[in-house]
Amino acid sequence: MEQRPNIWKRLEMVFSWIEDLGAWRLLLSLMLLAIWEAGSGQVHYSVPEEVKHGTFVGRIAQDLGLELEELVPRMFRVASKGNGDLLEVNLQNGILFVNSRIDREELCGRRLECSIHLEVIVERPLQVFHVEVEVKDINDNSPIFPVAVKNLFIYESRPPGSRIPLEGASDADIGANSLLTYSLNSNEYFTLDVKRNDEEIKSLGLVLKKLLNREDTSEHHLLIMAVDGGKPELTGTTQLKITVLDVNDNAPKFERTVYKVKLFENAPNDTLTVIVNASDLDEGVNKDIVYSFNADTSADTLSKFHLDPVNGYITVKGNIDFEETKLYEIQVEATDKGNPPMTDHCTVLVEILDTNDNVPELVIKSLLLPVLEDAPLGTVIALISVSDHDSDVNGQVTCTLTPDAPFKLLTAFKNYYSLVLDSALDRESVVTYELVVTARDGGSPSLSATASVTVEVADVNDNAPAFAQPEYTVFVKENNPPGCHIFTVSARDADAQENALVSYSLVERRVGERALSSYVSVHAESGKVYALQPLDHEELELLQFQVSARDAGVPPLGSNVTLQVFVLDENDNAPALLPPGAGGGGDAVSQPVARSVGAGHVVAKVRAVDADSGYNAWLSYELQSEAGGARRPFRVGLYTGEISTTRALDEVDAPRQRLLVLVKDHGEPALTATATVLLSLVDNGQTPKTQSRMSPGAVGTELALVDVNVYLIIAICAVSSLLVLTLLLYTALRCSAPPTEGACGPGKPMLVCSSAVGSWSYSQQRRQRVCSGEGPPKRVCSGEGPPKTDLMAFSPSLPSGPVSRDVQEQLDGDIDLSAKVSNF
């Protein structure tokens, strides 16, 4: 195999110059040698055709400066445009070898230069090398004549020295292997004449040495042998069968033996190419000439041109393509109509001129698709090769890229471009780029071809899941069934595929003595939040926790959202009577009453509490009537539970009075409890010792309570008036300010519960209180500080002056209920 001289051979040449040129000339030579090596950007090898499989071509890895160990990791590969797998590289030793049969004639035809162009591609980083392997011709084709037997007709009157043109042999090889020499078997009438004109066209002719005599010999059989210049020589033969005719003494004569014309490719049919003209010195019929193509004219030429037999016009009748054939050599005959007819020959050379009729060709080889959105600038996306079958300016191609996108085209070699990343990508903005590569030649008018390149941007996990808002407020009624769905959280991830696959989980913490996961759970895929057990408003008013959303990317990204679950009260607790030790009478309260007491005297009091809130905990008392419908001398305070006389007691009243007091809350439906009060009517002289002992204290206490109630009424009215004034002033200021979230716009829910004794106001304070709209304030369990109370009791406006007994009872009930809730 043949290879360019390497650096060591050149160094040996340089060392041989040392004696004559001196040291400074040696240094100059070394510098020029280094510059020459740097400028040689292409490795060149040569190999003969038809060599065996595995024949060594060159150490391609070493010549390209690549280490053998990095060939496989860097995905070393060789590509050959349109030449299949003729050559291959052994990745173990880096040697380029012949992989399959190489036929130079099949590969390049009769072109003088025949090369296989290889593209060597390695990655990490991406590099492209160009290698040229020249295919050397060997003498593997014998000369071939158009026909094995050639029939010639020659008149016996043909003068000696006449030349009969013959079609020579052809050899598919090139160079010396295609140089043919001819020889003719020995005979006394004919000799072989070979001429080569300035167009390198070899003209073969048979020359008559002496007059023929048809009567002596009517046929002559000759053998022409063609020998090529290869080693070893190859030969081809054809037989000439010459029939001697006895006629004409003047043959037609062409004006020129060679006609040269130029014709543009793609010329329309019937375009006149050339006019051939011959004349005959004979007269009459022997002077009439008929033009025709030589019998050996190829079928391709006959399909492209038409010859008028009368006037010698040669016109176009088929498609003329410069890229197919650049020169036509046509043999034309002029034959007269004598008997026998005589013929003359001429050669017509038609040179085809190129026009810009071939559209550039684009071949895109994608190397990296899809492209990661975080790919660095300069990343090679695809390799693009362009070609144009036209020549000169018509075959010069330039490439452009549209539309405006973060990519650009770079060229490192002629007709080779790289599509590279020019600016940063963002898949969330643009998922796919539809690029159009346009190849345009330099012809006039220019022709262009386009190819579409779809560049898909691959996702990387650069976006965390995001909730629509940082926190959500959820209201859940207590006593919910276990496992009920209370809310659904949803987070959106702008990424794609697994990077956008969001899973949800609780951010675990302690709620009092228990884990958060014992109260609620969240579905990992749907984000549905479930209450795992029934919630109790009396135990837990507010459950505040966080839900985490995390994607499936690597590394995963996540975010949290806060949920505030307010447990709304339901009327699930009946009123409970206070035991006797707390000042009540329990289920049965026994109390002695003197018959001398007047109307309105308080003889006993029923006390009860309700574990619910708001209306559900607001209790009322009523005295159940007897079955007989008799009117009792007692009544009970609607909201105080105090049992008092309605009139003075007399002797007709039964000494033992059994009263049933119904305690009822205001829930829906209302729940009740019943207290039994046993009153013993005694005369003044029969007052029990305990009663007589307690009478002074009771009277003093009753008088003290009256004074305290008066002061409490005054204080409550003053505080209520001041609060109402403050609220009115605050509302006026808020309404005069620009519209914001507050008193004049959407705000936190506020519920005011009105009754005959006043109003209950509940407000929802974050991390403090809950207003469910159904009860008074309760304990909050948010894990951040002790529970607080913001219950406010407002008494209705009272007129100045004495306070009636009913109003006094209502106020006492109001105060008592307020104290009860506060203590609770």
Side-chain angles (χ1 to χ4, degrees):
M1 308 311 117
E2 187 178 316
Q3 213 170 339
R4 285 189 176 178
N6 57 30
I7 186 65
W8 303 110
K9 293 181 179 180
R10 299 192 189 99
L11 286 174
E12 291 177 1
M13 296 172 59
V14 172
F15 287 140
S16 66
W17 296 342
I18 291 178
E19 296 179 358
D20 299 331
L21 301 179
W24 67 274
R25 293 186 179 180
L26 173 61
L27 179 60
L28 180 60
S29 301
L30 288 173
M31 293 176 63
L32 293 176
L33 181 61
I35 294 173
W36 185 88
E37 277 294 311
S40 180
Q42 180 170 286
V43 178
H44 180 273
Y45 301 105
S46 63
V47 61
E49 63 174 330
E50 303 294 344
V51 294
K52 296 180 179 179
H53 170 75
T55 300
F56 173 86
V57 178
R59 301 184 182 276
I60 188 170
Q62 177 181 342
D63 295 337
L64 294 177
L66 301 174
E67 298 295 334
L68 296 180
E69 296 78 10
E70 64 181 356
L71 296 185
V72 175
R74 294 188 64 184
M75 299 178 67
F76 181 98
R77 58 191 183 276
V78 176
S80 176
K81 182 179 179 182
N83 294 322
D85 56 347
L86 298 179
L87 300 173
E88 191 56 65
V89 175
N90 188 332
L91 297 182
Q92 303 300 321
N93 53 26
I95 293 178
L96 181 67
F97 63 93
V98 176
N99 188 47
S100 58
R101 174 177 174 269
I102 301 176
D103 187 353
R104 186 192 183 284
E105 288 70 34
E106 179 182 347
L107 192 64
C108 302
R110 294 192 56 81
R111 292 202 301 267
L112 295 179
E113 295 182 358
C114 182
S115 298
I116 300 175
H117 295 276
L118 305 177
E119 292 179 5
V120 179
I121 303 173
V122 294
E123 297 185 358
R124 304 190 188 120
L126 179 65
Q127 290 181 284
V128 180
F129 303 93
H130 291 268
V131 178
E132 180 182 7
V133 180
E134 181 182 1
V135 180
K136 296 289 188 180
D137 183 50
I138 64 172
N139 191 28
D140 58 340
N141 290 281
S142 301
I144 298 176
F145 286 90
V147 292
V149 177
K150 175 70 173 178
N151 293 314
L152 294 178
F153 300 90
I154 302 177
Y155 299 107
E156 63 177 346
S157 59
R158 189 100 177 198
S162 298
R163 189 175 186 275
I164 299 102
L166 300 174
E167 188 72 12
S170 61
D171 194 322
D173 296 320
I174 62 170
N177 296 330
S178 65
L179 294 179
L180 304 180
T181 58
Y182 297 89
S183 61
L184 183 67
N185 61 328
S186 177
N187 66 89
E188 61 179 306
Y189 290 99
F190 299 96
T191 184
L192 202 59
D193 177 50
V194 180
K195 294 182 180 180
R196 185 179 297 275
N197 56 24
D198 55 350
E199 284 79 26
E200 298 297 319
I201 300 173
K202 184 174 292 186
S203 177
L204 181 64
L206 191 64
V207 178
L208 184 62
K209 293 194 295 184
K210 67 176 185 179
L211 287 172
L212 297 172
N213 190 337
R214 190 188 63 81
E215 288 72 27
D216 292 339
T217 306
S218 60
E219 290 184 352
H220 296 269
H221 296 273
L222 306 177
L223 181 65
I224 299 177
M225 176 180 293
V227 182
D228 62 21
K231 298 296 182 181
E233 298 177 345
L234 298 178
T235 62
T237 60
T238 184
Q239 292 184 2
L240 295 180
K241 180 182 178 181
I242 302 174
T243 301
V244 181
L245 302 177
D246 185 19
V247 245
N248 229 337
D249 55 352
N250 286 292
K253 183 68 174 178
F254 281 101
E255 294 178 346
R256 289 181 287 176
T257 57
V258 177
Y259 290 84
K260 297 180 180 179
V261 293
K262 294 182 178 181
L263 180 66
F264 281 102
E265 65 173 329
N266 300 321
N269 291 342
D270 298 328
T271 299
L272 180 61
T273 304
V274 67
I275 301 175
V276 294
N277 185 42
S279 58
D280 195 316
L281 297 178
D282 294 325
E283 293 184 355
V285 175
N286 293 333
K287 190 177 182 180
D288 294 338
I289 298 174
V290 175
Y291 300 95
S292 62
F293 290 127
N294 188 277
D296 297 329
T297 302
S298 66
D300 179 64
T301 301
L302 293 176
S303 66
K304 299 292 191 297
F305 298 97
H306 172 263
L307 174 60
D308 190 295
V310 178
N311 51 35
Y313 292 176
I314 298 178
T315 57
V316 176
K317 76 169 186 177
N319 181 38
I320 307 297
D321 189 358
F322 172 84
E323 288 71 36
E324 180 182 333
T325 306
K326 298 176 178 57
L327 178 69
Y328 289 93
E329 179 181 348
I330 306 173
Q331 299 292 334
V332 179
E333 296 180 349
T335 305
D336 60 23
K337 295 182 179 181
N339 189 12
M342 301 188 69
T343 304
D344 192 16
H345 303 78
C346 73
T347 301
V348 177
L349 299 177
V350 182
E351 180 183 357
I352 307 302
L353 303 180
D354 183 40
T355 60
N356 192 27
D357 62 336
N358 287 282
V359 176
E361 295 180 358
L362 278 169
V363 178
I364 298 178
K365 302 176 181 178
S366 297
L367 298 180
L368 182 60
L369 289 177
V371 184
L372 292 176
E373 60 178 320
D374 62 348
L377 302 184
T379 299
V380 178
I381 310 301
L383 297 178
I384 303 171
S385 63
V386 296
S387 60
D388 194 315
H389 294 297
D390 293 323
S391 61
D392 299 330
V393 177
N394 296 331
Q396 296 177 1
V397 183
T398 57
C399 276
T400 57
L401 183 66
T402 56
D404 187 20
F407 304 95
K408 64 179 178 180
L409 290 175
L410 296 179
T411 178
F413 303 97
K414 182 181 179 182
N415 293 338
Y416 286 89
Y417 292 85
S418 298
L419 178 63
V420 300
L421 183 62
D422 189 38
S423 60
L425 300 174
D426 184 11
R427 191 206 66 83
E428 287 69 41
S429 299
V430 181
V431 177
T432 304
Y433 291 91
E434 298 292 342
L435 306 179
V436 177
V437 180
T438 302
R440 187 175 299 276
D441 61 26
S444 180
S446 62
L447 300 177
S448 63
T450 60
S452 297
V453 181
T454 301
V455 180
E456 296 182 359
V457 182
D459 183 53
V460 297
N461 193 26
D462 57 349
N463 290 278
F467 291 94
Q469 57 191 66
E471 67 178 35
Y472 294 91
T473 300
V474 183
F475 296 94
V476 180
K477 289 185 178 182
E478 64 175 334
N479 302 320
N480 57 282
C484 74
H485 172 230
I486 62 174
F487 193 68
T488 300
V489 294
S490 178
R492 180 183 178 275
D493 196 313
D495 293 321
Q497 296 177 352
E498 66 274 3
N499 295 331
L501 185 61
V502 180
S503 60
Y504 303 91
S505 62
L506 287 177
V507 179
E508 188 61 73
R509 67 175 184 87
R510 304 293 295 179
V511 180
E513 298 298 327
R514 300 171 60 181
L516 174 64
S517 57
S518 66
Y519 286 96
V520 292
S521 69
V522 61
H523 194 276
E525 296 180 0
S526 65
K528 290 184 177 181
V529 181
Y530 299 93
L532 299 181
Q533 63 182 16
L535 300 177
D536 189 356
H537 174 80
E538 288 71 38
E539 176 188 346
L540 184 66
E541 291 187 9
L542 172 62
L543 181 60
Q544 181 172 301
F545 58 93
Q546 287 187 329
V547 176
S548 174
R550 189 167 296 271
D551 59 31
V554 179
L557 301 177
S559 62
N560 296 342
V561 66
T562 300
L563 265 67
Q564 296 189 88
V565 179
F566 289 89
V567 182
L568 304 181
D569 182 51
E570 286 190 333
N571 193 26
D572 57 346
N573 290 282
L577 299 174
L578 294 179
D587 291 340
V589 179
S590 179
Q591 182 71 27
V593 179
R595 288 181 180 274
S596 59
V597 298
H601 181 76
V602 177
V603 297
K605 186 170 184 176
V606 178
R607 295 182 181 275
V609 294
D610 195 313
D612 293 321
S613 302
Y615 272 104
N616 297 328
W618 188 18
L619 303 180
S620 62
Y621 304 84
E622 62 181 74
L623 194 62
Q624 291 185 339
S625 60
E626 291 184 349
R631 184 177 180 185
R632 293 179 183 274
F634 301 99
R635 66 184 180 90
V636 64
L638 180 61
Y639 300 107
T640 63
E642 292 181 345
I643 301 175
S644 60
T645 58
T646 59
R647 58 179 172 80
L649 300 176
D650 51 30
E651 295 298 330
V652 298
D653 294 321
R656 293 183 63 83
Q657 298 284 335
R658 185 174 182 272
L659 305 179
L660 295 179
V661 178
L662 182 66
V663 184
K664 180 172 62 175
D665 60 26
H666 285 71
E668 291 293 339
L671 301 178
T672 62
T674 304
T676 302
V677 180
L678 300 176
L679 299 178
S680 298
L681 302 183
V682 297
D683 295 331
N684 291 337
Q686 297 178 355
T687 303
K689 295 180 180 181
T690 57
Q691 179 67 22
S692 58
R693 286 196 300 267
M694 294 178 61
S695 295
V699 172
T701 302
E702 184 175 352
L703 294 175
L705 285 174
V706 172
D707 293 338
V708 170
N709 288 342
V710 172
Y711 293 133
L712 279 175
I713 292 172
I714 297 173
I716 290 174
C717 291
V719 172
S720 300
S721 301
L722 181 60
L723 182 59
V724 171
L725 181 61
T726 302
L727 290 176
L728 291 176
L729 180 61
Y730 176 75
T731 303
L733 291 176
R734 293 290 289 177
C735 290
S736 62
T740 57
E741 202 175 40
C744 295
K748 297 180 180 178
M750 177 72 71
L751 176 63
V752 177
C753 306
S754 301
S755 70
V757 298
S759 301
W760 299 84
S761 175
Y762 308 92
S763 63
Q764 175 187 325
Q765 299 288 341
R766 185 184 177 192
R767 306 181 186 271
Q768 293 181 359
R769 290 301 311 147
V770 180
C771 180
S772 66
E774 298 184 14
K778 285 284 187 173
R779 180 169 57 87
V780 179
C781 194
S782 64
E784 300 183 11
K788 297 183 180 179
T789 302
D790 63 350
L791 173 64
M792 293 178 291
F794 301 98
S795 298
S797 300
L798 295 176
S800 59
V803 180
S804 66
R805 179 68 179 177
D806 293 338
V807 174
Q808 180 65 46
E809 288 183 359
Q810 293 176 355
L811 290 176
D812 291 343
D814 192 2
I815 295 169
D816 183 64
L817 181 58
S818 301
K820 181 204 74 167
V821 176
S822 299
N823 293 332
F824 180 62

